[in-house]
Short mmCIF file of all heavy atoms in Angstrom, two decimals:
data_model
loop_
_atom_site.label_atom_id
_atom_site.label_comp_id
_atom_site.label_asym_id
_atom_site.label_seq_id
_atom_site.Cartn_x
_atom_site.Cartn_y
_atom_site.Cartn_z
N MET L 1080 164.35 -42.23 194.15
CA MET L 1080 164.52 -40.96 194.88
C MET L 1080 165.91 -40.86 195.52
O MET L 1080 166.53 -39.85 195.47
CB MET L 1080 163.41 -40.83 195.96
CG MET L 1080 162.06 -40.63 195.34
SD MET L 1080 160.78 -40.57 196.66
CE MET L 1080 159.29 -40.19 195.71
N LEU L 1081 166.32 -41.99 196.14
CA LEU L 1081 167.68 -42.00 196.73
C LEU L 1081 168.73 -41.75 195.72
O LEU L 1081 169.69 -41.03 195.94
CB LEU L 1081 167.88 -43.33 197.46
CG LEU L 1081 167.06 -43.60 198.68
CD1 LEU L 1081 167.28 -45.02 199.20
CD2 LEU L 1081 167.34 -42.63 199.82
N HIS L 1082 168.61 -42.40 194.58
CA HIS L 1082 169.60 -42.23 193.53
C HIS L 1082 169.63 -40.83 192.96
O HIS L 1082 170.67 -40.28 192.64
CB HIS L 1082 169.39 -43.22 192.41
CG HIS L 1082 170.44 -43.20 191.34
ND1 HIS L 1082 171.80 -43.18 191.66
CD2 HIS L 1082 170.39 -43.18 189.97
CE1 HIS L 1082 172.51 -43.18 190.54
NE2 HIS L 1082 171.65 -43.17 189.53
N ALA L 1083 168.46 -40.18 192.90
CA ALA L 1083 168.37 -38.78 192.44
C ALA L 1083 169.20 -37.94 193.40
O ALA L 1083 169.99 -37.08 192.93
CB ALA L 1083 166.95 -38.31 192.38
N ALA L 1084 169.02 -38.09 194.72
CA ALA L 1084 169.82 -37.32 195.68
C ALA L 1084 171.31 -37.65 195.53
O ALA L 1084 172.15 -36.76 195.54
CB ALA L 1084 169.32 -37.67 197.06
N GLU L 1085 171.61 -38.92 195.36
CA GLU L 1085 172.99 -39.33 195.28
C GLU L 1085 173.66 -38.68 194.06
O GLU L 1085 174.80 -38.29 194.06
CB GLU L 1085 173.03 -40.87 195.13
CG GLU L 1085 174.38 -41.46 194.97
CD GLU L 1085 174.27 -42.97 194.86
OE1 GLU L 1085 173.53 -43.50 193.95
OE2 GLU L 1085 174.95 -43.70 195.66
N THR L 1086 172.91 -38.59 192.97
CA THR L 1086 173.42 -38.03 191.73
C THR L 1086 173.82 -36.59 191.86
O THR L 1086 174.87 -36.13 191.41
CB THR L 1086 172.44 -38.24 190.60
OG1 THR L 1086 172.06 -39.60 190.51
CG2 THR L 1086 173.07 -37.83 189.25
N PHE L 1087 172.96 -35.80 192.54
CA PHE L 1087 173.30 -34.42 192.80
C PHE L 1087 174.61 -34.30 193.61
O PHE L 1087 175.52 -33.50 193.27
CB PHE L 1087 172.14 -33.68 193.55
CG PHE L 1087 171.06 -33.22 192.68
CD1 PHE L 1087 169.86 -33.87 192.66
CD2 PHE L 1087 171.17 -32.12 191.89
CE1 PHE L 1087 168.78 -33.45 191.85
CE2 PHE L 1087 170.12 -31.66 191.09
CZ PHE L 1087 168.97 -32.34 191.08
N VAL L 1088 174.70 -35.12 194.66
CA VAL L 1088 175.86 -35.02 195.53
C VAL L 1088 177.14 -35.48 194.80
O VAL L 1088 178.16 -34.78 194.88
CB VAL L 1088 175.64 -35.86 196.79
CG1 VAL L 1088 176.96 -35.92 197.63
CG2 VAL L 1088 174.52 -35.26 197.64
N GLU L 1089 177.09 -36.55 194.12
CA GLU L 1089 178.27 -37.11 193.50
C GLU L 1089 178.75 -36.28 192.33
O GLU L 1089 179.92 -36.22 192.00
CB GLU L 1089 178.06 -38.58 193.09
CG GLU L 1089 177.88 -39.48 194.26
CD GLU L 1089 177.84 -40.95 193.89
OE1 GLU L 1089 177.65 -41.26 192.65
OE2 GLU L 1089 177.99 -41.81 194.76
N ARG L 1090 177.84 -35.59 191.69
CA ARG L 1090 178.21 -34.65 190.56
C ARG L 1090 178.60 -33.27 191.10
O ARG L 1090 178.92 -32.42 190.30
CB ARG L 1090 177.06 -34.57 189.60
CG ARG L 1090 176.77 -35.83 188.81
CD ARG L 1090 177.86 -36.20 187.84
NE ARG L 1090 178.03 -35.21 186.81
CZ ARG L 1090 178.92 -35.25 185.87
NH1 ARG L 1090 179.75 -36.25 185.76
NH2 ARG L 1090 179.03 -34.29 184.95
N ASP L 1091 178.45 -33.12 192.45
CA ASP L 1091 178.77 -31.84 193.04
C ASP L 1091 177.96 -30.72 192.49
O ASP L 1091 178.45 -29.59 192.15
CB ASP L 1091 180.22 -31.52 192.92
CG ASP L 1091 180.70 -30.39 193.88
OD1 ASP L 1091 180.00 -30.25 194.93
OD2 ASP L 1091 181.72 -29.72 193.65
N VAL L 1092 176.65 -30.97 192.23
CA VAL L 1092 175.73 -30.03 191.70
C VAL L 1092 174.68 -29.64 192.77
O VAL L 1092 174.06 -30.59 193.33
CB VAL L 1092 174.95 -30.58 190.47
CG1 VAL L 1092 173.90 -29.60 189.98
CG2 VAL L 1092 175.92 -30.86 189.33
N THR L 1093 174.61 -28.42 193.12
CA THR L 1093 173.61 -27.98 194.10
C THR L 1093 172.24 -27.92 193.41
O THR L 1093 172.12 -27.31 192.37
CB THR L 1093 173.95 -26.57 194.64
OG1 THR L 1093 175.21 -26.63 195.27
CG2 THR L 1093 172.89 -26.14 195.65
N PRO L 1094 171.22 -28.65 193.93
CA PRO L 1094 169.92 -28.56 193.30
C PRO L 1094 169.34 -27.16 193.29
O PRO L 1094 169.65 -26.30 194.16
CB PRO L 1094 169.07 -29.53 194.14
CG PRO L 1094 169.80 -29.68 195.41
CD PRO L 1094 171.23 -29.46 195.16
N PRO L 1095 168.52 -26.88 192.34
CA PRO L 1095 167.98 -25.49 192.19
C PRO L 1095 167.08 -25.12 193.35
O PRO L 1095 166.82 -23.92 193.62
CB PRO L 1095 167.26 -25.50 190.88
CG PRO L 1095 166.94 -26.90 190.59
CD PRO L 1095 168.12 -27.70 191.17
N VAL L 1096 166.51 -26.13 194.00
CA VAL L 1096 165.68 -25.93 195.17
C VAL L 1096 166.11 -26.94 196.27
O VAL L 1096 166.74 -27.92 195.91
CB VAL L 1096 164.16 -26.11 194.89
CG1 VAL L 1096 163.70 -25.08 193.87
CG2 VAL L 1096 163.87 -27.55 194.42
N SER L 1097 165.81 -26.72 197.50
CA SER L 1097 166.09 -27.67 198.54
C SER L 1097 165.23 -28.93 198.33
O SER L 1097 164.05 -28.80 198.03
CB SER L 1097 165.88 -27.10 199.89
OG SER L 1097 166.81 -26.08 200.19
N LEU L 1098 165.89 -30.05 198.54
CA LEU L 1098 165.16 -31.37 198.33
C LEU L 1098 165.01 -31.98 199.74
O LEU L 1098 165.95 -32.30 200.42
CB LEU L 1098 165.97 -32.29 197.49
CG LEU L 1098 166.38 -31.74 196.10
CD1 LEU L 1098 167.08 -32.81 195.30
CD2 LEU L 1098 165.21 -31.19 195.36
N ALA L 1099 163.77 -32.05 200.15
CA ALA L 1099 163.48 -32.74 201.44
C ALA L 1099 162.96 -34.15 201.16
O ALA L 1099 162.24 -34.38 200.14
CB ALA L 1099 162.43 -31.96 202.23
N PHE L 1100 163.27 -35.04 202.04
CA PHE L 1100 162.86 -36.44 201.90
C PHE L 1100 162.17 -36.88 203.19
O PHE L 1100 162.72 -36.68 204.24
CB PHE L 1100 164.06 -37.33 201.64
CG PHE L 1100 164.74 -37.04 200.36
CD1 PHE L 1100 165.76 -36.05 200.35
CD2 PHE L 1100 164.46 -37.65 199.17
CE1 PHE L 1100 166.45 -35.70 199.18
CE2 PHE L 1100 165.16 -37.32 197.97
CZ PHE L 1100 166.11 -36.37 198.01
N ALA L 1101 161.00 -37.48 203.07
CA ALA L 1101 160.26 -38.02 204.17
C ALA L 1101 159.83 -39.41 203.85
O ALA L 1101 158.89 -39.63 203.05
CB ALA L 1101 159.01 -37.19 204.48
N PHE L 1102 160.56 -40.38 204.35
CA PHE L 1102 160.32 -41.81 204.11
C PHE L 1102 159.65 -42.34 205.35
O PHE L 1102 160.21 -42.40 206.43
CB PHE L 1102 161.55 -42.58 203.83
CG PHE L 1102 162.21 -42.15 202.49
CD1 PHE L 1102 163.48 -42.65 202.19
CD2 PHE L 1102 161.57 -41.44 201.58
CE1 PHE L 1102 164.07 -42.31 200.91
CE2 PHE L 1102 162.09 -41.09 200.34
CZ PHE L 1102 163.36 -41.52 200.02
N VAL L 1103 158.38 -42.74 205.21
CA VAL L 1103 157.54 -43.05 206.39
C VAL L 1103 157.13 -44.50 206.46
O VAL L 1103 157.23 -45.32 205.51
CB VAL L 1103 156.24 -42.16 206.27
CG1 VAL L 1103 156.57 -40.67 206.21
CG2 VAL L 1103 155.36 -42.56 205.09
#
Side-chain angles (χ1 to χ4, degrees):
M1080 291 177 176
L1081 291 174
H1082 185 45
E1085 178 180 55
T1086 307
F1087 277 105
V1088 173
E1089 293 189 345
R1090 293 290 298 180
D1091 196 25
V1092 175
T1093 301
V1096 299
S1097 292
L1098 308 183
F1100 298 86
F1102 292 169
V1103 303

